[in-house]
Amino acid sequence: MVSSLRLPTLTSLFSPSLTRRSTLSLRRRLHLGPPLATGFSSQSAAPSPPETEDRVDNKKSSRVQDRANAERVITPRSPDFNAWYLDVIANAELADYGPVRGTMVIRPYGYAIWEAIQEYLNVKFKETGHSNMYFPQLIPYSFIEKEASHVEGFSPELALVTIGGGKELEEKLVVRPTSETIVNHMFTQWIHSYRDLPLMINQWANVTRWEMRTKPFVRTLEFLWQEGHTAHASPEEAEKEALQMIGVYTKFAYEQAAIPVIAGRKSKVETFAGADRTYTIEAMMGDRKALQAGTSHNLGQNFSRAFGTQFTDENGQRQHVWQTSWAISTRFVGGIIMTHGDDTGLILPPRIAPIQVVIVPIWKKVDEKTGVLDAASKVAEILKTAGLKVKLDGADQRTPGWKFNFWEMKGVPLRIEIGPRDVSSGTVVISRRDVPGKQGKVFGISMEPSILEAYVKDRLDEIQSSLLQRAISFQDSYFVDWNQAYYEPLHNDMITMRS
Amino acid sequence: MVSSLRLPTLTSLFSPSLTRRSTLSLRRRLHLGPPLATGFSSQSAAPSPPETEDRVDNKKSSRVQDRANAERVITPRSPDFNAWYLDVIANAELADYGPVRGTMVIRPYGYAIWEAIQEYLNVKFKETGHSNMYFPQLIPYSFIEKEASHVEGFSPELALVTIGGGKELEEKLVVRPTSETIVNHMFTQWIHSYRDLPLMINQWANVTRWEMRTKPFVRTLEFLWQEGHTAHASPEEAEKEALQMIGVYTKFAYEQAAIPVIAGRKSKVETFAGADRTYTIEAMMGDRKALQAGTSHNLGQNFSRAFGTQFTDENGQRQHVWQTSWAISTRFVGGIIMTHGDDTGLILPPRIAPIQVVIVPIWKKVDEKTGVLDAASKVAEILKTAGLKVKLDGADQRTPGWKFNFWEMKGVPLRIEIGPRDVSSGTVVISRRDVPGKQGKVFGISMEPSILEAYVKDRLDEIQSSLLQRAISFQDSYFVDWNQAYYEPLHNDMITMRS
């Protein structure tokens, strides 16, 4: 089923929104996703009518442009969370709008966060027995039609190639919105007997969905994701796999992104058509709304029946395979921004931060410069050798104060300051991004390599767990209950958190 | 210029083909690429007329299907190099045909080779100061039209999205064939002064070109690549960058892929429209034809003028930036197959082999099995701990002989055999893929970890350099001269081979 791998949007799964949610038609929820604005907060809790494309885009674009070109000012979070979110993305240079409505250019700093997500998950996928591969993104329209009974109304989200090589095509081609159909077309050719099972693959790819209301990272016309696809000889194995992968996502969210997600099963009405069961991880963002941050589906035999994906079992009987699919996308970057950021800008958990430590050398007189820069380089070398991601900002054009603000806005977990006095005393000053002002600042940390390395690593660990604790407390403060009509949390013992 | 990053096909750059090449219209060479079949060999040297789409595909598909489903038989290389190539791809499960004509599914074993290419280059790109990012793949048609004077006739290769979200679009969208246009659209917004330069980025992405004659890896409707894009404040810097990157590619080809490429500059007539200079690396394949395996363009100010990409220089003057772009694609996997493979199948250089050592345990009686498997596991552990990519093939269903053939066909550089006698003597038997039969087989290598590790690593190094030497000798034997009308090799001192 085409939409089974959708990572659908900011959803609200908490009970106060029940009455509001239920006024939405099923079709809208399944195909366009729930409205962005629902949840605990009193602000715009009712779904607003979709804005016209131009209005949405012009407004956002002008904000991004204004902020980027003017002084770096970030709207405070509480009066307008959405404006704050867009300001952080623009100022921290995480992403920019592409020329086609709803598309996004992922800039180097934003892409580096995605790379950190990829690096971790890619290893976990391989450890759990999956191989990467690549399927073409152009899918014959007839494949989608095979699934028509399941995805009635999905076609409004498709981008269609109708002209190729200067000629009108005989059959329209769909630009991949998800790959179940083409995966099953190929699986049918590769799977013959139980010996070919389980078949467990993953691909890192771009997908295209014609979303009407877009928001950087959270919902864009094109986004990047990984989609896992597996085929098994029994329903038990498929269920175990679907749970295993939601476990991998859960562990990733907690341990790497410091996001306390809740793994659960969507109720029947929320299960994606084409799946027997849909598991998701849900996280509460800074505006107290839920973000669906990853999905894992037990597809049962729905696709294997549609595409004739069969195997000969050990008794010589032909059976349809049991399948799963699971995905995490660049939306997760949006989840990180919205979980940890504050009025000053981004706050990044050390384990996924592209820069973990920024070093700012401080000098006033010219004759101080060399000594300060030398010491700063030495400190950078020590920390790089220790395996940390370090940036030395020795630029002449900016003041230390400007640099402090800039790197705080970029969410770098630790800042090291080195001035002439520090050089004489052989020490540095270290500030934590997550603890503002004097409280987060410690003077007189020795530059001696082993002491410095140990101190910095300890602080990074502390920040990592402190961010998680803070997010847990926030969630606990505002969480009321699950909306049982939509969601049922999993018991802990159902999820394997592999190490 | 849109086509400036094209990796155009099997080209012939050696002089005998001059007369044949020159019969092709320029338009054909620039836009459809030279024909597949040109070169030294007497076989089908003249370009054959393009086959109809169906004929091409059915023929290929049936071959792939036949081979995959029947016994594994590979056509010998010399009578029909193309059939050999397709047989190797099918039997080694490197790729399969996608449902849309000209598309390719990259299977796990083939994708793992691409991953090895990515891992190496990704590090080198970062070391040379480039950041990864991501641009949308849908490009307004008007962007391509801006380049109309440069790319006249390129539109026959475009895939166009005309319907999105169920509606006819006001402006057709191009599915990215290369990204110069959209990159410059964004660069224009990001670059203000000389302080923003150089801007050096790279993206790993899929690209789509409506090729009429396709061949797995070498030329497909959609392929994977990296495309680097840089902007500089002076023409000298841009030229240095273009040369630096062709140097990175050259070093990669020699040291990792064991392919002796020749770096050179295309003559004016072969320089892609939109570029001031085009550098490529060219390699001689097993059929003595040249494969263009990587490109690096000095784009001058052609794109910056078309898109108004300007900066304020240190004197306060507005200037257009100088740019480069450079790419290597999944075609390189085809180059590896065609350089090293033999009648038995694939031969992979150890540094890019997904499996460097396969271990085949051998037993006849049931009571021998445990001891043999235990020893095999121990050997596998030793080599994995040493950082090697190891596969233990302990499957019950297949004979050792079948396994030998299978892993030879897959091109695994080293095979370790362990039987009951080896277990008693504490030794193993080691066979080289690149030296067939008894000559490549050594008995009695100790299982003692340090001895075994050192022996295996030495052999892998030996295979790596032996494959390169063999390819160099082959090239030297058949190389006559460069076709000066098309190509001028670079002097060695022009290329920096960074370590």
Side-chain angles (χ1 to χ4, degrees):
Chain A
M1 211 297 291
V2 174
S3 67
S4 63
L5 271 186
R6 302 197 58 203
L7 294 175
T9 59
L10 282 172
T11 59
S12 173
L13 297 160
F14 310 125
S15 40
S17 65
L18 171 59
T19 49
R20 288 181 193 110
R21 289 297 306 293
S22 60
T23 62
L24 294 169
S25 73
L26 180 65
R27 186 184 160 284
R28 179 174 165 78
R29 246 184 301 114
L30 288 178
H31 301 300
L32 293 177
L36 284 172
T38 53
F40 272 104
S41 59
S42 56
Q43 48 164 123
S44 62
S48 52
E51 302 183 76
T52 67
E53 301 178 20
D54 283 346
R55 210 180 121 212
V56 172
D57 244 20
N58 290 343
K59 209 174 70 182
K60 285 177 185 166
S61 285
S62 62
R63 174 179 298 280
V64 170
Q65 291 310 323
D66 288 353
R67 299 301 185 198
N69 298 336
E71 294 204 2
R72 299 183 183 279
V73 177
I74 296 175
T75 308
R77 231 171 64 137
S78 58
D80 190 342
F81 193 81
N82 196 52
W84 168 83
Y85 178 73
L86 296 177
D87 284 346
V88 171
I89 287 173
N91 285 324
E93 299 182 342
L94 298 170
D96 209 336
Y97 294 103
V100 174
R101 181 199 67 82
T103 62
M104 168 178 67
V105 180
I106 307 179
R107 302 186 70 176
Y109 199 61
Y111 196 84
I113 298 173
W114 178 238
E115 285 181 306
I117 295 173
Q118 289 186 300
E119 270 164 34
Y120 174 91
L121 288 177
N122 201 43
V123 169
K124 293 297 163 193
F125 296 158
K126 290 183 179 178
E127 281 176 6
T128 46
H130 307 90
S131 302
N132 285 336
M133 61 179 300
Y134 189 76
F135 291 87
Q137 76 163 342
L138 295 179
I139 301 175
Y141 194 81
S142 57
F143 282 26
I144 308 292
E145 286 182 313
K146 277 197 193 191
E147 295 294 316
S149 60
H150 304 280
V151 297
E152 186 194 296
F154 189 71
S155 62
E157 283 202 14
L158 299 178
L160 300 178
V161 171
T162 62
I163 297 171
K167 286 184 196 157
E168 190 88 19
L169 300 178
E170 285 182 24
E171 180 175 11
K172 293 189 289 278
L173 301 177
V174 175
V175 183
R176 163 177 63 210
T178 181
S179 300
E180 279 83 355
T181 57
I182 194 166
V183 164
N184 267 76
H185 175 78
M186 300 311 298
F187 274 17
T188 302
Q189 297 170 53
W190 298 332
I191 296 170
H192 305 288
S193 90
Y194 66 93
R195 286 194 199 87
D196 300 319
L197 298 175
L199 183 51
M200 297 163 78
I201 65 96
N202 175 64
Q203 83 172 351
W204 294 94
N206 56 342
V207 278
T208 302
R209 293 172 186 178
W210 214 265
E211 303 280 3
M212 296 316 289
R213 304 189 74 212
T214 58
K215 182 170 175 168
F217 291 113
V218 172
R219 203 197 294 128
T220 48
L221 214 70
E222 179 191 6
F223 55 92
L224 303 180
W225 77 351
Q226 60 69 214
E227 48 180 322
H229 296 273
T230 68
H232 306 267
S234 77
E236 293 77 20
E237 261 187 59
E239 177 66 8
K240 199 176 152 196
E241 166 77 2
L243 283 170
Q244 168 178 259
M245 299 323 289
I246 209 70
V248 168
Y249 292 158
T250 303
K251 189 177 161 67
F252 163 73
Y254 271 90
E255 297 185 2
Q256 303 296 310
I259 298 181
V261 295
I262 294 161
R265 183 185 163 184
K266 296 281 190 183
S267 64
K268 193 139 190 99
V269 72
E270 286 274 295
T271 296
F272 291 108
D276 282 356
R277 292 159 179 254
T278 288
Y279 300 107
T280 66
I281 51 172
E282 307 278 339
M284 188 188 280
M285 300 294 99
D287 57 357
R288 307 175 204 172
K289 292 172 192 159
L291 184 79
Q292 181 175 303
T295 55
S296 181
H297 306 292
N298 181 337
L299 302 172
Q301 294 179 312
N302 302 323
F303 281 92
S304 61
R305 286 183 192 281
F307 283 84
T309 318
Q310 291 185 293
F311 70 104
T312 305
D313 70 15
E314 300 198 25
N315 305 316
Q317 301 293 310
R318 296 292 282 171
Q319 289 197 50
H320 289 97
V321 297
W322 280 266
Q323 293 185 264
T324 80
S325 61
W326 28 276
I328 265 188
S329 76
T330 36
R331 159 181 289 192
F332 209 98
V333 177
I336 290 165
I337 302 167
M338 289 190 284
T339 299
H340 301 301
D342 65 9
D343 283 354
T344 308
L346 205 56
I347 298 183
L348 292 174
R351 290 199 188 142
I352 52 117
I355 300 170
Q356 296 169 313
V357 182
V358 64
I359 301 170
V360 179
I362 303 169
W363 69 88
K364 283 188 183 148
K365 302 170 200 154
V366 179
D367 61 337
E368 294 166 346
K369 185 176 170 181
T370 317
V372 166
L373 279 181
D374 279 357
S377 300
K378 238 178 258 166
V379 166
E381 247 348 274
I382 291 166
L383 298 177
K384 278 181 195 167
T385 308
L388 298 173
K389 294 169 184 164
V390 181
K391 164 85 185 171
L392 166 55
D393 184 357
D396 269 331
Q397 306 97 320
R398 303 294 190 181
T399 65
W402 188 95
K403 292 177 186 174
F404 289 5
N405 290 338
F406 181 75
W407 295 110
E408 280 176 10
M409 187 267 294
K410 293 266 226 177
V412 176
L414 275 187
R415 178 180 74 229
I416 295 183
E417 305 157 28
I418 304 177
R421 277 196 212 167
D422 303 301
V423 174
S424 351
S425 62
T427 61
V428 299
V429 180
I430 301 190
S431 297
R432 281 173 64 158
R433 169 65 178 90
D434 63 326
V435 183
K438 281 184 186 168
Q439 272 178 308
K441 202 159 185 163
V442 178
F443 296 83
I445 306 300
S446 168
M447 283 187 204
E448 201 279 307
S450 62
I451 298 176
L452 183 67
E453 177 186 336
Y455 185 86
V456 167
K457 286 188 170 174
D458 281 354
R459 284 304 78 66
L460 290 173
D461 285 346
E462 229 171 83
I463 295 170
Q464 182 79 30
S465 53
S466 168
L467 289 177
L468 178 62
Q469 279 315 315
R470 185 187 298 188
I472 290 173
S473 304
F474 181 82
Q475 186 177 285
D476 287 349
S477 308
Y478 293 104
F479 182 81
V480 179
D481 200 357
W482 290 102
N483 179 339
Q484 299 285 334
Y486 293 105
Y487 204 66
E488 183 190 349
L490 290 172
H491 293 293
N492 280 341
D493 58 3
M494 290 181 68
I495 311 173
T496 321
M497 301 256 282
R498 299 176 67 113
S499 56
Chain B
M1 211 295 288
V2 175
S3 68
S4 63
L5 271 186
R6 304 196 56 203
L7 296 173
T9 59
L10 284 171
T11 58
S12 173
L13 298 159
F14 309 127
S15 40
S17 65
L18 170 60
T19 48
R20 290 184 192 106
R21 290 295 308 293
S22 61
T23 62
L24 294 169
S25 73
L26 179 65
R27 187 186 158 283
R28 180 175 164 78
R29 249 184 299 117
L30 287 179
H31 301 300
L32 294 177
L36 284 172
T38 53
F40 273 103
S41 60
S42 56
Q43 46 164 124
S44 61
S48 52
E51 302 183 78
T52 66
E53 300 179 18
D54 283 346
R55 211 179 120 211
V56 172
D57 243 21
N58 291 342
K59 209 172 73 180
K60 285 178 186 167
S61 286
S62 62
R63 173 180 298 280
V64 171
Q65 291 309 322
D66 289 355
R67 298 301 184 198
N69 297 335
E71 296 203 1
R72 299 183 182 277
V73 177
I74 295 174
T75 308
R77 232 170 65 136
S78 58
D80 190 343
F81 192 81
N82 196 53
W84 168 84
Y85 177 73
L86 296 177
D87 284 347
V88 170
I89 287 172
N91 286 324
E93 297 181 341
L94 298 171
D96 210 337
Y97 295 103
V100 174
R101 180 199 68 81
T103 63
M104 167 178 70
V105 180
I106 307 180
R107 303 186 69 176
Y109 199 61
Y111 196 84
I113 298 172
W114 178 237
E115 285 181 305
I117 294 172
Q118 288 186 299
E119 271 163 33
Y120 174 91
L121 288 178
N122 202 42
V123 170
K124 294 295 164 195
F125 296 158
K126 290 183 181 180
E127 282 176 6
T128 46
H130 307 90
S131 302
N132 284 336
M133 61 178 300
Y134 188 76
F135 291 87
Q137 76 163 342
L138 295 180
I139 300 174
Y141 193 81
S142 58
F143 282 26
I144 308 292
E145 285 181 314
K146 278 197 192 190
E147 294 295 315
S149 61
H150 304 281
V151 297
E152 186 193 299
F154 188 70
S155 63
E157 283 201 14
L158 298 178
L160 299 179
V161 171
T162 62
I163 297 172
K167 286 184 194 155
E168 192 86 21
L169 301 177
E170 284 182 25
E171 180 176 10
K172 295 190 287 277
L173 301 176
V174 175
V175 183
R176 162 177 64 211
T178 180
S179 299
E180 279 82 357
T181 57
I182 194 167
V183 164
N184 268 77
H185 175 78
M186 299 310 299
F187 274 17
T188 302
Q189 298 170 53
W190 298 332
I191 295 170
H192 305 289
S193 89
Y194 66 93
R195 287 193 197 88
D196 300 317
L197 300 174
L199 182 51
M200 298 164 78
I201 64 97
N202 175 64
Q203 82 171 351
W204 294 94
N206 56 341
V207 278
T208 301
R209 294 173 186 179
W210 214 264
E211 303 280 2
M212 295 317 289
R213 306 187 72 211
T214 58
K215 182 170 175 167
F217 291 112
V218 172
R219 203 198 293 130
T220 48
L221 214 70
E222 179 192 5
F223 55 92
L224 304 180
W225 77 352
Q226 59 68 214
E227 48 180 322
H229 297 273
T230 68
H232 306 267
S234 76
E236 294 76 20
E237 262 187 57
E239 177 67 8
K240 199 176 154 197
E241 165 77 1
L243 283 170
Q244 169 178 260
M245 299 322 289
I246 209 70
V248 168
Y249 292 158
T250 303
K251 188 176 161 69
F252 163 73
Y254 270 90
E255 297 185 3
Q256 302 296 311
I259 299 181
V261 296
I262 294 161
R265 181 184 165 186
K266 296 282 192 187
S267 65
K268 191 138 192 98
V269 72
E270 287 274 295
T271 296
F272 291 108
D276 281 356
R277 291 158 178 254
T278 289
Y279 300 106
T280 65
I281 51 172
E282 307 277 339
M284 188 187 279
M285 300 293 101
D287 58 356
R288 306 176 204 172
K289 291 172 191 159
L291 184 79
Q292 181 174 304
T295 55
S296 181
H297 307 292
N298 181 337
L299 303 172
Q301 294 179 311
N302 303 321
F303 282 93
S304 61
R305 286 183 191 278
F307 283 83
T309 318
Q310 290 184 296
F311 70 104
T312 306
D313 69 16
E314 301 197 25
N315 304 317
Q317 300 294 311
R318 296 291 283 169
Q319 288 197 50
H320 289 97
V321 297
W322 281 265
Q323 294 184 263
T324 78
S325 62
W326 27 276
I328 265 187
S329 76
T330 36
R331 161 183 286 190
F332 208 99
V333 177
I336 291 166
I337 302 167
M338 290 190 282
T339 299
H340 300 301
D342 66 9
D343 284 354
T344 307
L346 204 56
I347 298 182
L348 291 174
R351 289 196 190 148
I352 52 118
I355 301 169
Q356 296 170 312
V357 182
V358 63
I359 301 170
V360 179
I362 303 169
W363 68 89
K364 281 185 182 149
K365 301 170 200 156
V366 180
D367 62 338
E368 294 167 346
K369 184 176 169 180
T370 316
V372 166
L373 279 182
D374 280 356
S377 300
K378 236 177 261 168
V379 166
E381 247 348 275
I382 292 167
L383 297 178
K384 278 182 196 168
T385 307
L388 298 173
K389 294 171 183 163
V390 181
K391 163 88 186 170
L392 167 55
D393 186 357
D396 268 333
Q397 306 98 318
R398 305 294 191 179
T399 63
W402 188 95
K403 292 177 186 173
F404 289 6
N405 290 338
F406 181 75
W407 294 112
E408 280 176 9
M409 187 266 294
K410 291 266 226 177
V412 176
L414 274 188
R415 178 179 74 230
I416 295 185
E417 306 158 27
I418 305 178
R421 278 196 211 166
D422 302 302
V423 174
S424 356
S425 63
T427 62
V428 299
V429 180
I430 299 189
S431 296
R432 281 173 64 156
R433 170 64 179 89
D434 64 325
V435 183
K438 282 184 186 169
Q439 273 177 307
K441 201 160 187 162
V442 178
F443 296 82
I445 307 301
S446 168
M447 282 187 205
E448 202 280 306
S450 63
I451 298 175
L452 184 67
E453 177 186 335
Y455 184 88
V456 167
K457 286 188 168 173
D458 281 355
R459 284 304 76 65
L460 290 173
D461 284 346
E462 227 172 84
I463 295 170
Q464 183 78 32
S465 54
S466 168
L467 288 177
L468 177 61
Q469 279 315 315
R470 188 189 293 186
I472 289 173
S473 303
F474 180 83
Q475 185 177 284
D476 287 349
S477 308
Y478 295 104
F479 182 82
V480 179
D481 201 358
W482 290 103
N483 180 339
Q484 300 283 335
Y486 292 104
Y487 204 66
E488 183 190 348
L490 290 173
H491 293 294
N492 280 340
D493 58 4
M494 288 180 69
I495 311 175
T496 321
M497 301 256 280
R498 297 176 67 110
S499 56

